[in-house]
Each structure stands twice: as C-alpha cells, then as structure tokens.
Amino acid sequence: MGHAEFPGIPASVPTARQWARDLLTGKIAAPTLDDVLLLLSELVTNAIVHSDSGRGPYGSVTVCLVTVCLALSHDHDGHGGTVVHVEVIDDGSAASLPFVRAATPDGDGGRGLLMVELLSARWGVHHDDEAGNAVWFHLPDSTTGHG
C-alpha cells in the first residue's frame, strides 16, 4: 500500500501519523484507524528515542503500511476481513533490541510496546545488521462497507 521515510526527529511522529491517516482513511474502519495511528505513533517515538535513528543528524525512520484481504479466512462471526500490517524500521541500536519494558505507575514511558502487545493481533521484532530494527504489528479490520 505504501511506505515513507521520515527524519529521526520528534516532529516526525505527527507527520508519520498524518501520512498514515491520509493513506488509510476510507480503506479501513474508523476504530481500526484510531488504533493503527496510536500504535504507529508509539513505534515511531520508540524508534527516535531508543535507536540510532534519533541520535545523529542523518537518522531516519521508515514506515510501511499494507492492508491484506482475508477472503479465505474468517473471523468469529464467519465474515472475511482485512488485516492491517504496519512496520516501523529504524537505524538499529548497538545496545539492545526493542522489547516490552516494565512500566512504573508514575513513569512517563515504558508503555509503547505494551500497548502494541495488548491491542494488536500479532506483533514482532526483527533485526538486520545493515537495515536496523523493524517492529511490526497486525490489526484486524473485519467491518464491511468501509470503502
């Protein structure tokens, strides 16, 4: 469906969110879109804060969006649906791979991947020495009549 590269700066978070909104509006249901945008914002923020994407003047974050029709697969109501695949690729980090952190009740961070884990149907991380880290998630969109 689409992919775009954004600079590794905090201002890229709302820019990436708007890009995704423009690309997906009318193609998936509004509640699914809201969840996609929330989780996308978390992943782009994590990439900028915790990877080399946000540490140098040339860092970047790439976002890939794909919608996949599940014509042969059915949800619990017996209807086919769509899955939205979102992937955020950063410049990697020598320190660690992305993982779900234990958040403290009064802490400002540590909830991004936890939200991804709780809201998505599936998610994962993979690392490539040249490309960096990629965090992806799948959200089902089984409503009909959304475009």
Side-chain angles (χ1 to χ4, degrees), residues 27-139:
K27 294 179 177 70
I28 61 174
T32 303
L33 179 59
D34 290 343
D35 287 347
V36 165
L37 298 176
L38 172 66
L39 299 182
L40 173 65
S41 295
E42 292 297 329
L43 293 186
V44 172
T45 298
N46 283 354
I48 293 167
V49 171
H50 299 293
S51 82
D52 291 345
S53 292
R55 293 191 184 113
Y58 303 108
S60 67
V61 176
T62 302
V63 178
C64 303
L65 299 174
V66 179
T67 57
V68 180
C69 182
L70 300 176
L72 299 176
S73 180
H74 298 285
D75 64 15
H76 66 280
D77 293 328
H79 297 77
T82 300
V83 169
V84 182
H85 172 87
V86 178
E87 190 160 345
V88 175
I89 304 164
D90 62 41
D91 293 338
S93 171
S96 69
L97 287 172
F99 65 95
V100 177
R101 301 177 194 281
T104 60
D106 57 346
D108 288 340
R111 293 175 183 82
L113 286 179
L114 179 60
M115 285 194 295
V116 172
E117 185 173 81
L118 293 173
L119 294 176
S120 67
R122 294 182 60 208
W123 76 281
V125 176
H126 56 91
H127 172 78
D128 180 277
D129 287 335
E130 291 183 27
N133 295 328
V135 180
W136 59 269
F137 64 86
H138 291 169
L139 280 176

